[in-house]
Amino acid sequence: MDSAYIDRLLQALKDQNETVRNQAIGEFWHMWFHQKGTQGAKRLIESQTLVEAEQNTKAKAILDELIDTQPDFAEAWNRRAVLYYMEGNYPAAINDCQKTLELVPHHFGALHGLGLCYASVGNYQDAIQYFRRTLDLQPFSLINQRLILECIAQLE
């Protein structure tokens, strides 16, 4: 991926203009989903459709296959992390989020996911750390601002 383009998108996430920020967010998601071309994106969408239909075992099988055959496919790791999170398997979700970040350090979805996982297990200090790291990339993210405040309230 073109690092200059990624740098421009990262800057756009901090733009005062909400439309500019939303376009950058959309570009990142498109880039991540299409990292392995149209076929990779199609398989990710297929797995998401299965999750929405509460067919998590089938969805996980697709994601496992993608990860086994293309271990550098960051969004496959991230999608499986989301699935694990939804199932309450926080250790597995944390592991897959961390793998996503090894592959794509600016993956704000995985950073946010780590915050959610740590908050879910009552580790509010680490949750705050990951929500703040997400805010470093997306300073206008109201959900992360709110989650930080909620975690701080849990510490008091």
Side-chain angles (χ1 to χ4, degrees):
M1 291 182 213
D2 179 4
S3 64
Y5 178 64
I6 290 171
D7 288 344
R8 283 193 302 277
L9 288 177
L10 289 169
Q11 268 315 116
L13 293 175
K14 299 174 182 179
D15 198 283
Q16 294 289 326
N17 185 315
E18 183 178 8
T19 302
V20 171
R21 293 192 308 269
N22 287 338
Q23 286 173 337
I25 290 167
E27 283 295 313
F28 272 120
W29 285 114
H30 184 269
M31 188 184 328
W32 294 332
F33 264 77
H34 288 84
Q35 176 193 352
K36 297 295 181 179
T38 305
Q39 189 60 29
K42 181 181 169 193
R43 296 293 282 161
L44 288 177
I45 292 167
E46 187 180 337
S47 74
Q48 273 192 238
T49 302
L50 288 166
V51 168
E52 290 166 9
E54 298 182 12
Q55 296 181 29
N56 291 359
T57 302
K58 290 180 181 178
K60 185 178 175 299
I62 290 171
L63 296 170
D64 288 345
E65 176 195 336
L66 286 171
I67 289 166
D68 288 344
T69 60
Q70 301 171 87
D72 63 334
F73 193 177
E75 195 54 33
W77 289 96
N78 189 56
R79 291 291 106 199
R80 193 172 71 176
V82 171
L83 177 59
Y84 284 143
Y85 175 81
M86 291 171 54
E87 292 177 337
N89 186 348
Y90 304 118
I94 288 168
N95 181 66
D96 281 5
C97 283
Q98 289 171 335
K99 182 62 180 179
T100 302
L101 290 170
E102 286 174 27
L103 296 167
V104 181
H106 57 269
H107 197 298
F108 48 80
L111 287 167
H112 176 78
L114 279 169
L116 291 174
C117 288
Y118 284 118
S120 294
V121 298
N123 184 341
Y124 300 110
Q125 291 287 3
D126 283 347
I128 292 166
Q129 171 194 337
Y130 283 104
F131 292 137
R132 283 187 176 149
R133 284 183 57 192
T134 308
L135 280 178
D136 288 343
L137 296 172
Q138 294 180 290
F140 294 94
S141 172
L142 296 178
I143 185 71
N144 288 295
Q145 294 172 18
R146 182 178 57 80
L147 289 167
I148 288 170
L149 293 174
E150 288 178 10
C151 288
I152 289 171
Q154 292 296 322
L155 294 173
E156 295 174 355

